[in-house]
Amino acid sequence: MAKFFGVIIDEKRLAAIKGTPLEEKVEPIFGGALKRLVIEVPDELGQKVIEQFGKARFDARGFIEETPAAFKRLVFKKIVELKSLGPEVMEKAVAEIPSIKDDVAKEDKELPVPDIDISDVLELQKNPVQKPA
């Protein structure tokens, strides 16, 4: 049975794939609150990914979970480069794991701060009491 790898798509990532066939493959999750792309991964390749990272696992749906953020960024980079969701994306990403080993080691100590725009939240915090319109 094939395994799957989901990549969460934020606005920045969506902009990177806008206008490509990949944009049509974005699927909503959690009632549309988030979006993702799904890569189908052959069993052997899925097992290779699991073996590379001590915390990684297959969940009940067959998705590869608990991989480092650095690996997820690498997979998205390969998706954009190859303009594909095929197994070749994961093959290239697995081949480049040695290049992210330092980032992975840092994540074991401290997770990186997400690169997201929170300016609207910061603006709301200036006036915490909202008046009805």
Side-chain angles (χ1 to χ4, degrees):
M1 185 172 105
K3 304 298 183 199
F4 303 95
F5 189 83
V7 178
I8 301 296
I9 304 297
D10 61 4
E11 295 303 318
K12 190 174 174 181
R13 287 180 171 179
L14 191 57
I17 61 170
K18 194 154 188 76
T20 69
L22 294 172
E23 184 180 16
E24 297 168 9
K25 296 182 179 175
V26 172
E27 60 183 46
I29 57 173
F30 300 115
L34 294 174
K35 295 174 176 54
R36 76 172 171 198
L37 288 170
V38 177
I39 301 170
E40 191 168 328
V41 182
D43 286 338
E44 322 80 55
L45 191 53
Q47 194 58 46
K48 272 188 188 176
V49 173
I50 296 296
E51 290 167 0
Q52 294 295 318
F53 307 110
K55 296 177 185 171
R57 63 181 175 78
F58 296 117
D59 71 6
R61 304 166 299 150
F63 274 77
I64 301 167
E65 295 290 349
E66 307 298 329
T67 57
F71 181 68
K72 292 173 184 172
R73 286 191 300 272
L74 177 62
V75 171
F76 181 74
K77 180 179 160 189
K78 294 300 161 195
I79 289 171
V80 172
E81 281 178 17
L82 300 172
K83 295 180 177 42
S84 170
L85 294 176
E88 66 275 5
V89 170
M90 289 302 276
E91 289 169 6
K92 297 274 188 187
V94 168
E96 288 191 28
I97 287 175
S99 70
I100 61 166
K101 282 291 185 187
D102 289 342
D103 293 335
V104 171
K106 287 178 193 172
E107 283 182 41
D108 281 342
K109 295 178 183 153
E110 182 178 16
L111 286 175
V113 177
D115 182 21
I116 57 173
D117 178 20
I118 60 166
S119 58
D120 56 338
V121 174
L122 295 174
E123 192 62 36
L124 287 172
Q125 287 178 345
K126 289 179 183 175
N127 184 11
V129 178
Q130 301 296 311
K131 297 177 184 165

